[in-house]
Amino acid sequence: MKENNKEYITRREALKRMGAFATLLSLELSGVSSLASCANKKAKRRIIFFFTATGNSLFVAKLLSDDVRSIPQELKKSELNYEADEIGFVFPDYAASAPLIVREFVSKATFRAPYIFSVITYGNAAVNVCEWWNRFANEQGLQQQYIKSLLMVDNYLPVFDMNEQIKIDKHTDENLATIIEELAAQKEYIEKGDLGWFNEEGLERLRASHFPMTAERLIAINQEKCIGCEFCTRVCPRGNLKLTGDGIRAEGSCEYCLACVHNCTQKALTLRSPMAGRPGERNPEARYRHPDISINEIVRANQQ
Ligand SMILES: Cc1cc2nc3c(=O)[nH]c(=O)nc-3n(C[C@H](O)[C@H](O)[C@H](O)COP(=O)(O)O)c2cc1C
């Protein structure tokens, strides 16, 4: 099996790629984890838990700490009790709420840290996702000091063409720089929601149309295009795809994360349309993965 051999990118390299301002930020981060080189300043231990399908959230997580832990991998453990100086969560916004796997993790685990925060990556409209997440986490007994959203490429294929998305300047680097500074200062802040043209009932309908989802209902597989590389089976955080004698089969309770579709090397996976005769996605020829995240990093994060 031929793998994409893009090298693992370290946090320092990623900071460098973000441009000159990142150099300053690395100084800001000097109190955190392994970048703490200042001898008389005690290093803070910051753990980041992340979930990702196309790399945006992993890219952010890696900039925030060297101790990044994949939620799908953590969920395999029997003990889920965590303690650190700072604990952070980085994950994508799905329908102005959190992916089911992130909710499951927070409801099962316990976290002890004086400073707990979340960064929620989104692509178009964050709406009230931070307030939603704060409420949900509170209900699970998790109090957070800081929650902010970060605009990045929108990987939602039914609505967006990835070839267009990657051309839009969403000021991600500048906004991320602000977040890094605010976290270094342990700012207390929960982002307020802006419902825009949504209302709560509309949002609930949107969420209900996404979750729960099944792989059979969502994913169409063109067996002619498939070469059996099995990246789709390895990037699925639910282990829903299997290579059988008749090609790839997708079944089971689905995250709707689209990792399998975006990371298919042959574009053999597409989204089914909820309406007969209508295309299930905007551009089946356009796929996305964050340019600084390799397919093997997504595999390591999600493989079951
Ligand atoms: C099922 C689904 C629902 C999404 N819902 C929203 C949304 O409500 N608002 C938004 O701005 N972006 C939404 N997105 C876009 C992602 O939040 C965004 O692209 C994110 O940065 C992807 O992170 P990742 O690369 O770490 O997987 C959605 C994506 C998916 C797959």
mmCIF file of all heavy atoms in Angstrom, residues 51-58 91-97 121-127 150-156 206 210-211 255-258 288, ligand 1:
data_model
loop_
_atom_site.group_PDB
_atom_site.id
_atom_site.type_symbol
_atom_site.label_atom_id
_atom_site.label_comp_id
_atom_site.label_asym_id
_atom_site.label_seq_id
_atom_site.Cartn_x
_atom_site.Cartn_y
_atom_site.Cartn_z
ATOM 1 N N PHE A 51 -10.249 16.737 18.036
ATOM 2 C CA PHE A 51 -10.876 15.862 17.047
ATOM 3 C C PHE A 51 -10.750 16.565 15.708
ATOM 4 O O PHE A 51 -10.907 17.792 15.626
ATOM 5 C CB PHE A 51 -12.353 15.594 17.367
ATOM 6 C CG PHE A 51 -13.039 14.806 16.287
ATOM 7 C CD1 PHE A 51 -12.604 13.517 15.983
ATOM 8 C CD2 PHE A 51 -14.072 15.349 15.539
ATOM 9 C CE1 PHE A 51 -13.202 12.789 14.961
ATOM 10 C CE2 PHE A 51 -14.668 14.624 14.522
ATOM 11 C CZ PHE A 51 -14.235 13.339 14.236
ATOM 12 N N THR A 52 -10.450 15.799 14.654
ATOM 13 C CA THR A 52 -10.304 16.403 13.330
ATOM 14 C C THR A 52 -10.697 15.414 12.248
ATOM 15 O O THR A 52 -10.546 14.200 12.413
ATOM 16 C CB THR A 52 -8.845 16.860 13.100
ATOM 17 O OG1 THR A 52 -8.784 17.717 11.966
ATOM 18 C CG2 THR A 52 -7.888 15.677 12.864
ATOM 19 N N ALA A 53 -11.186 15.943 11.133
ATOM 20 C CA ALA A 53 -11.453 15.114 9.952
ATOM 21 C C ALA A 53 -10.554 15.536 8.802
ATOM 22 O O ALA A 53 -10.055 14.713 8.048
ATOM 23 C CB ALA A 53 -12.920 15.239 9.536
ATOM 24 N N THR A 54 -10.331 16.847 8.687
ATOM 25 C CA THR A 54 -9.543 17.346 7.553
ATOM 26 C C THR A 54 -8.346 18.186 8.009
ATOM 27 O O THR A 54 -7.731 18.876 7.204
ATOM 28 C CB THR A 54 -10.434 18.151 6.572
ATOM 29 O OG1 THR A 54 -11.096 19.207 7.276
ATOM 30 C CG2 THR A 54 -11.474 17.260 5.917
ATOM 31 N N GLY A 55 -8.039 18.155 9.283
ATOM 32 C CA GLY A 55 -6.766 18.710 9.735
ATOM 33 C C GLY A 55 -6.802 20.109 10.324
ATOM 34 O O GLY A 55 -5.839 20.517 10.989
ATOM 35 N N ASN A 56 -7.876 20.880 10.113
ATOM 36 C CA ASN A 56 -7.891 22.249 10.649
ATOM 37 C C ASN A 56 -7.676 22.236 12.160
ATOM 38 O O ASN A 56 -6.837 22.972 12.699
ATOM 39 C CB ASN A 56 -9.241 22.934 10.359
ATOM 40 C CG ASN A 56 -9.411 23.315 8.896
ATOM 41 O OD1 ASN A 56 -8.462 23.247 8.122
ATOM 42 N ND2 ASN A 56 -10.614 23.704 8.519
ATOM 43 N N SER A 57 -8.440 21.415 12.842
ATOM 44 C CA SER A 57 -8.392 21.415 14.309
ATOM 45 C C SER A 57 -7.065 20.845 14.813
ATOM 46 O O SER A 57 -6.538 21.308 15.832
ATOM 47 C CB SER A 57 -9.571 20.628 14.879
ATOM 48 O OG SER A 57 -10.781 21.124 14.331
ATOM 49 N N LEU A 58 -6.505 19.866 14.099
ATOM 50 C CA LEU A 58 -5.205 19.335 14.505
ATOM 51 C C LEU A 58 -4.109 20.380 14.309
ATOM 52 O O LEU A 58 -3.210 20.512 15.153
ATOM 53 C CB LEU A 58 -4.874 18.051 13.721
ATOM 54 C CG LEU A 58 -3.503 17.421 13.990
ATOM 55 C CD1 LEU A 58 -3.265 17.177 15.483
ATOM 56 C CD2 LEU A 58 -3.352 16.111 13.219
ATOM 57 N N PHE A 91 -11.784 21.354 18.308
ATOM 58 C CA PHE A 91 -12.610 20.467 17.474
ATOM 59 C C PHE A 91 -13.440 21.319 16.508
ATOM 60 O O PHE A 91 -13.586 22.525 16.707
ATOM 61 C CB PHE A 91 -13.516 19.592 18.369
ATOM 62 C CG PHE A 91 -14.418 20.374 19.275
ATOM 63 C CD1 PHE A 91 -15.641 20.856 18.847
ATOM 64 C CD2 PHE A 91 -14.033 20.653 20.577
ATOM 65 C CE1 PHE A 91 -16.469 21.588 19.690
ATOM 66 C CE2 PHE A 91 -14.848 21.388 21.435
ATOM 67 C CZ PHE A 91 -16.071 21.857 20.979
ATOM 68 N N PRO A 92 -14.000 20.690 15.464
ATOM 69 C CA PRO A 92 -14.816 21.459 14.510
ATOM 70 C C PRO A 92 -16.249 21.668 14.993
ATOM 71 O O PRO A 92 -16.784 20.853 15.751
ATOM 72 C CB PRO A 92 -14.818 20.571 13.255
ATOM 73 C CG PRO A 92 -14.454 19.205 13.715
ATOM 74 C CD PRO A 92 -13.751 19.304 15.035
ATOM 75 N N ASP A 93 -16.813 22.743 14.521
ATOM 76 C CA ASP A 93 -18.231 23.047 14.732
ATOM 77 C C ASP A 93 -19.050 22.206 13.743
ATOM 78 O O ASP A 93 -18.796 22.250 12.535
ATOM 79 C CB ASP A 93 -18.390 24.559 14.431
ATOM 80 C CG ASP A 93 -19.831 25.037 14.393
ATOM 81 O OD1 ASP A 93 -20.748 24.215 14.426
ATOM 82 O OD2 ASP A 93 -20.007 26.271 14.313
ATOM 83 N N TYR A 94 -19.987 21.418 14.241
ATOM 84 C CA TYR A 94 -20.924 20.707 13.361
ATOM 85 C C TYR A 94 -22.330 21.188 13.680
ATOM 86 O O TYR A 94 -22.854 20.918 14.765
ATOM 87 C CB TYR A 94 -20.859 19.183 13.578
ATOM 88 C CG TYR A 94 -19.593 18.510 13.063
ATOM 89 C CD1 TYR A 94 -19.332 17.185 13.368
ATOM 90 C CD2 TYR A 94 -18.682 19.178 12.258
ATOM 91 C CE1 TYR A 94 -18.183 16.547 12.898
ATOM 92 C CE2 TYR A 94 -17.529 18.554 11.791
ATOM 93 C CZ TYR A 94 -17.288 17.247 12.119
ATOM 94 O OH TYR A 94 -16.154 16.623 11.655
ATOM 95 N N ALA A 95 -22.931 21.897 12.734
ATOM 96 C CA ALA A 95 -24.296 22.396 12.900
ATOM 97 C C ALA A 95 -24.454 23.165 14.216
ATOM 98 O O ALA A 95 -25.354 22.886 15.014
ATOM 99 C CB ALA A 95 -25.304 21.256 12.806
ATOM 100 N N ALA A 96 -23.552 24.114 14.424
ATOM 101 C CA ALA A 96 -23.560 24.957 15.624
ATOM 102 C C ALA A 96 -23.592 24.131 16.912
ATOM 103 O O ALA A 96 -24.242 24.492 17.898
ATOM 104 C CB ALA A 96 -24.718 25.954 15.588
ATOM 105 N N SER A 97 -22.884 23.018 16.882
ATOM 106 C CA SER A 97 -22.764 22.177 18.076
ATOM 107 C C SER A 97 -21.465 21.374 17.949
ATOM 108 O O SER A 97 -20.695 21.594 17.023
ATOM 109 C CB SER A 97 -23.985 21.247 18.216
ATOM 110 O OG SER A 97 -24.069 20.372 17.110
ATOM 111 N N THR A 121 -13.130 25.245 15.673
ATOM 112 C CA THR A 121 -12.889 25.703 14.309
ATOM 113 C C THR A 121 -14.203 25.609 13.527
ATOM 114 O O THR A 121 -14.995 24.681 13.721
ATOM 115 C CB THR A 121 -11.779 24.884 13.615
ATOM 116 O OG1 THR A 121 -12.233 23.556 13.360
ATOM 117 C CG2 THR A 121 -10.502 24.837 14.458
ATOM 118 N N TYR A 122 -14.422 26.574 12.658
ATOM 119 C CA TYR A 122 -15.654 26.577 11.857
ATOM 120 C C TYR A 122 -15.335 27.193 10.495
ATOM 121 O O TYR A 122 -14.250 27.760 10.298
ATOM 122 C CB TYR A 122 -16.780 27.325 12.575
ATOM 123 C CG TYR A 122 -16.655 28.829 12.558
ATOM 124 C CD1 TYR A 122 -17.457 29.603 11.719
ATOM 125 C CD2 TYR A 122 -15.732 29.479 13.379
ATOM 126 C CE1 TYR A 122 -17.340 30.994 11.701
ATOM 127 C CE2 TYR A 122 -15.615 30.860 13.355
ATOM 128 C CZ TYR A 122 -16.419 31.606 12.519
ATOM 129 O OH TYR A 122 -16.297 32.960 12.499
ATOM 130 N N GLY A 123 -16.313 27.069 9.565
ATOM 131 C CA GLY A 123 -15.989 27.502 8.213
ATOM 132 C C GLY A 123 -16.795 28.636 7.656
ATOM 133 O O GLY A 123 -16.407 29.273 6.668
ATOM 134 N N ASN A 124 -17.952 28.910 8.269
ATOM 135 C CA ASN A 124 -18.820 29.918 7.651
ATOM 136 C C ASN A 124 -19.630 30.710 8.666
ATOM 137 O O ASN A 124 -19.610 31.934 8.654
ATOM 138 C CB ASN A 124 -19.764 29.220 6.671
ATOM 139 C CG ASN A 124 -20.652 30.180 5.940
ATOM 140 O OD1 ASN A 124 -20.164 31.109 5.319
ATOM 141 N ND2 ASN A 124 -21.954 29.984 6.037
ATOM 142 N N ALA A 125 -20.338 30.008 9.551
ATOM 143 C CA ALA A 125 -21.167 30.694 10.539
ATOM 144 C C ALA A 125 -21.086 29.952 11.868
ATOM 145 O O ALA A 125 -21.627 28.850 11.991
ATOM 146 C CB ALA A 125 -22.610 30.756 10.059
ATOM 147 N N ALA A 126 -20.423 30.567 12.838
ATOM 148 C CA ALA A 126 -20.267 29.906 14.142
ATOM 149 C C ALA A 126 -21.578 29.959 14.930
ATOM 150 O O ALA A 126 -21.813 29.159 15.827
ATOM 151 C CB ALA A 126 -19.162 30.574 14.945
ATOM 152 N N VAL A 127 -22.428 30.909 14.592
ATOM 153 C CA VAL A 127 -23.716 31.129 15.266
ATOM 154 C C VAL A 127 -23.466 31.169 16.788
ATOM 155 O O VAL A 127 -22.650 31.957 17.223
ATOM 156 C CB VAL A 127 -24.766 30.073 14.833
ATOM 157 C CG1 VAL A 127 -26.176 30.534 15.182
ATOM 158 C CG2 VAL A 127 -24.685 29.823 13.322
ATOM 159 N N LEU A 150 -12.886 29.856 15.677
ATOM 160 C CA LEU A 150 -11.833 30.280 14.745
ATOM 161 C C LEU A 150 -12.251 29.913 13.322
ATOM 162 O O LEU A 150 -12.462 28.735 13.016
ATOM 163 C CB LEU A 150 -10.507 29.584 15.097
ATOM 164 C CG LEU A 150 -9.349 29.864 14.142
ATOM 165 C CD1 LEU A 150 -8.924 31.336 14.205
ATOM 166 C CD2 LEU A 150 -8.155 28.955 14.458
ATOM 167 N N LEU A 151 -12.369 30.934 12.476
ATOM 168 C CA LEU A 151 -12.812 30.738 11.088
ATOM 169 C C LEU A 151 -11.682 30.143 10.242
ATOM 170 O O LEU A 151 -10.581 30.697 10.177
ATOM 171 C CB LEU A 151 -13.257 32.092 10.514
ATOM 172 C CG LEU A 151 -13.842 32.104 9.114
ATOM 173 C CD1 LEU A 151 -15.101 31.246 9.010
ATOM 174 C CD2 LEU A 151 -14.160 33.546 8.683
ATOM 175 N N MET A 152 -11.982 29.017 9.569
ATOM 176 C CA MET A 152 -10.989 28.342 8.706
ATOM 177 C C MET A 152 -11.707 27.879 7.432
ATOM 178 O O MET A 152 -12.849 28.262 7.191
ATOM 179 C CB MET A 152 -10.345 27.166 9.458
ATOM 180 C CG MET A 152 -9.614 27.598 10.737
ATOM 181 S SD MET A 152 -8.773 26.279 11.607
ATOM 182 C CE MET A 152 -7.235 26.144 10.712
ATOM 183 N N VAL A 153 -11.058 27.037 6.649
ATOM 184 C CA VAL A 153 -11.712 26.491 5.443
ATOM 185 C C VAL A 153 -12.934 25.672 5.868
ATOM 186 O O VAL A 153 -12.870 24.909 6.823
ATOM 187 C CB VAL A 153 -10.726 25.608 4.654
ATOM 188 C CG1 VAL A 153 -11.443 24.723 3.642
ATOM 189 C CG2 VAL A 153 -9.688 26.487 3.957
ATOM 190 N N ASP A 154 -14.052 25.850 5.148
ATOM 191 C CA ASP A 154 -15.272 25.088 5.463
ATOM 192 C C ASP A 154 -15.275 23.789 4.671
ATOM 193 O O ASP A 154 -15.348 23.797 3.446
ATOM 194 C CB ASP A 154 -16.522 25.917 5.149
ATOM 195 C CG ASP A 154 -17.727 25.372 5.904
ATOM 196 O OD1 ASP A 154 -17.943 24.142 5.890
ATOM 197 O OD2 ASP A 154 -18.441 26.177 6.527
ATOM 198 N N ASN A 155 -15.212 22.652 5.389
ATOM 199 C CA ASN A 155 -15.121 21.347 4.716
ATOM 200 C C ASN A 155 -16.482 20.696 4.477
ATOM 201 O O ASN A 155 -16.559 19.512 4.146
ATOM 202 C CB ASN A 155 -14.206 20.404 5.517
ATOM 203 C CG ASN A 155 -14.805 20.015 6.864
ATOM 204 O OD1 ASN A 155 -15.900 20.440 7.226
ATOM 205 N ND2 ASN A 155 -14.081 19.204 7.613
ATOM 206 N N TYR A 156 -17.562 21.488 4.628
ATOM 207 C CA TYR A 156 -18.917 20.929 4.497
ATOM 208 C C TYR A 156 -19.290 20.806 3.010
ATOM 209 O O TYR A 156 -19.752 21.755 2.380
ATOM 210 C CB TYR A 156 -19.905 21.820 5.258
ATOM 211 C CG TYR A 156 -21.288 21.235 5.336
ATOM 212 C CD1 TYR A 156 -21.528 20.052 6.028
ATOM 213 C CD2 TYR A 156 -22.364 21.871 4.720
ATOM 214 C CE1 TYR A 156 -22.799 19.512 6.092
ATOM 215 C CE2 TYR A 156 -23.637 21.336 4.787
ATOM 216 C CZ TYR A 156 -23.850 20.154 5.479
ATOM 217 O OH TYR A 156 -25.101 19.614 5.537
ATOM 218 N N LEU A 206 -31.715 21.722 12.028
ATOM 219 C CA LEU A 206 -30.443 21.486 11.323
ATOM 220 C C LEU A 206 -29.664 20.349 11.989
ATOM 221 O O LEU A 206 -29.160 19.437 11.324
ATOM 222 C CB LEU A 206 -29.617 22.776 11.350
ATOM 223 C CG LEU A 206 -28.339 22.808 10.519
ATOM 224 C CD1 LEU A 206 -28.676 22.888 9.035
ATOM 225 C CD2 LEU A 206 -27.481 24.022 10.897
ATOM 226 N N HIS A 210 -28.648 16.213 10.818
ATOM 227 C CA HIS A 210 -27.271 15.699 10.739
ATOM 228 C C HIS A 210 -27.011 14.529 11.678
ATOM 229 O O HIS A 210 -26.227 13.643 11.361
ATOM 230 C CB HIS A 210 -26.273 16.803 11.097
ATOM 231 C CG HIS A 210 -26.085 17.811 10.014
ATOM 232 N ND1 HIS A 210 -26.977 18.803 9.775
ATOM 233 C CD2 HIS A 210 -25.101 17.947 9.094
ATOM 234 C CE1 HIS A 210 -26.547 19.535 8.760
ATOM 235 N NE2 HIS A 210 -25.410 19.040 8.327
ATOM 236 N N PHE A 211 -27.612 14.578 12.864
ATOM 237 C CA PHE A 211 -27.297 13.581 13.895
ATOM 238 C C PHE A 211 -28.583 12.972 14.442
ATOM 239 O O PHE A 211 -29.489 13.732 14.769
ATOM 240 C CB PHE A 211 -26.541 14.234 15.072
ATOM 241 C CG PHE A 211 -25.414 15.118 14.646
ATOM 242 C CD1 PHE A 211 -25.462 16.482 14.901
ATOM 243 C CD2 PHE A 211 -24.313 14.601 13.994
ATOM 244 C CE1 PHE A 211 -24.428 17.314 14.522
ATOM 245 C CE2 PHE A 211 -23.272 15.429 13.614
ATOM 246 C CZ PHE A 211 -23.326 16.787 13.873
ATOM 247 N N GLU A 255 -20.194 9.740 12.244
ATOM 248 C CA GLU A 255 -19.939 11.063 12.850
ATOM 249 C C GLU A 255 -20.362 12.204 11.931
ATOM 250 O O GLU A 255 -20.473 13.341 12.366
ATOM 251 C CB GLU A 255 -18.446 11.245 13.124
ATOM 252 C CG GLU A 255 -17.949 10.707 14.415
ATOM 253 C CD GLU A 255 -18.614 11.328 15.628
ATOM 254 O OE1 GLU A 255 -18.776 12.561 15.690
ATOM 255 O OE2 GLU A 255 -18.990 10.557 16.515
ATOM 256 N N TYR A 256 -20.516 11.933 10.627
ATOM 257 C CA TYR A 256 -20.737 12.958 9.598
ATOM 258 C C TYR A 256 -19.511 13.883 9.531
ATOM 259 O O TYR A 256 -19.624 15.073 9.310
ATOM 260 C CB TYR A 256 -21.988 13.784 9.891
ATOM 261 C CG TYR A 256 -22.661 14.389 8.675
ATOM 262 C CD1 TYR A 256 -24.044 14.494 8.611
ATOM 263 C CD2 TYR A 256 -21.923 14.864 7.594
ATOM 264 C CE1 TYR A 256 -24.682 15.049 7.513
ATOM 265 C CE2 TYR A 256 -22.547 15.416 6.488
ATOM 266 C CZ TYR A 256 -23.923 15.514 6.457
ATOM 267 O OH TYR A 256 -24.537 16.060 5.372
ATOM 268 N N CYS A 257 -18.304 13.319 9.773
ATOM 269 C CA CYS A 257 -17.123 14.191 9.805
ATOM 270 C C CYS A 257 -16.536 14.395 8.409
ATOM 271 O O CYS A 257 -15.778 15.333 8.182
ATOM 272 C CB CYS A 257 -16.070 13.629 10.763
ATOM 273 S SG CYS A 257 -15.226 12.139 10.187
ATOM 274 N N LEU A 258 -16.856 13.472 7.475
ATOM 275 C CA LEU A 258 -16.403 13.525 6.081
ATOM 276 C C LEU A 258 -14.912 13.219 5.916
ATOM 277 O O LEU A 258 -14.352 13.466 4.843
ATOM 278 C CB LEU A 258 -16.750 14.871 5.418
ATOM 279 C CG LEU A 258 -18.214 15.320 5.521
ATOM 280 C CD1 LEU A 258 -18.430 16.590 4.722
ATOM 281 C CD2 LEU A 258 -19.155 14.234 5.054
ATOM 282 N N TYR A 288 -10.478 18.440 0.391
ATOM 283 C CA TYR A 288 -9.644 19.321 1.215
ATOM 284 C C TYR A 288 -8.962 18.558 2.350
ATOM 285 O O TYR A 288 -9.554 17.687 2.971
ATOM 286 C CB TYR A 288 -10.504 20.439 1.824
ATOM 287 C CG TYR A 288 -9.781 21.279 2.853
ATOM 288 C CD1 TYR A 288 -8.820 22.209 2.476
ATOM 289 C CD2 TYR A 288 -10.041 21.115 4.219
ATOM 290 C CE1 TYR A 288 -8.128 22.964 3.421
ATOM 291 C CE2 TYR A 288 -9.357 21.869 5.168
ATOM 292 C CZ TYR A 288 -8.409 22.789 4.758
ATOM 293 O OH TYR A 288 -7.731 23.534 5.694
HETATM 294 C C1 LIG B 1 -21.282 17.861 9.278
HETATM 295 C C2 LIG B 1 -20.604 19.193 9.291
HETATM 296 C C3 LIG B 1 -21.271 20.278 9.809
HETATM 297 C C4 LIG B 1 -20.651 21.535 9.828
HETATM 298 N N1 LIG B 1 -21.348 22.579 10.369
HETATM 299 C C5 LIG B 1 -20.793 23.822 10.375
HETATM 300 C C6 LIG B 1 -21.522 24.928 10.898
HETATM 301 O O1 LIG B 1 -22.638 24.805 11.412
HETATM 302 N N2 LIG B 1 -20.959 26.145 10.809
HETATM 303 C C7 LIG B 1 -19.726 26.329 10.249
HETATM 304 O O2 LIG B 1 -19.293 27.462 10.151
HETATM 305 N N3 LIG B 1 -18.978 25.293 9.799
HETATM 306 C C8 LIG B 1 -19.495 24.035 9.835
HETATM 307 N N4 LIG B 1 -18.768 22.964 9.345
HETATM 308 C C9 LIG B 1 -17.364 23.193 8.874
HETATM 309 C C10 LIG B 1 -16.291 22.747 9.874
HETATM 310 O O3 LIG B 1 -16.652 23.122 11.187
HETATM 311 C C11 LIG B 1 -14.911 23.371 9.556
HETATM 312 O O4 LIG B 1 -14.541 23.212 8.228
HETATM 313 C C12 LIG B 1 -13.839 22.794 10.486
HETATM 314 O O5 LIG B 1 -12.757 23.688 10.560
HETATM 315 C C13 LIG B 1 -13.311 21.442 10.047
HETATM 316 O O6 LIG B 1 -12.369 21.004 10.996
HETATM 317 P P1 LIG B 1 -11.393 19.768 10.776
HETATM 318 O O7 LIG B 1 -10.567 20.081 9.536
HETATM 319 O O8 LIG B 1 -10.554 19.736 11.998
HETATM 320 O O9 LIG B 1 -12.208 18.542 10.600
HETATM 321 C C14 LIG B 1 -19.334 21.709 9.320
HETATM 322 C C15 LIG B 1 -18.669 20.592 8.794
HETATM 323 C C16 LIG B 1 -19.292 19.337 8.776
HETATM 324 C C17 LIG B 1 -18.548 18.165 8.215
#
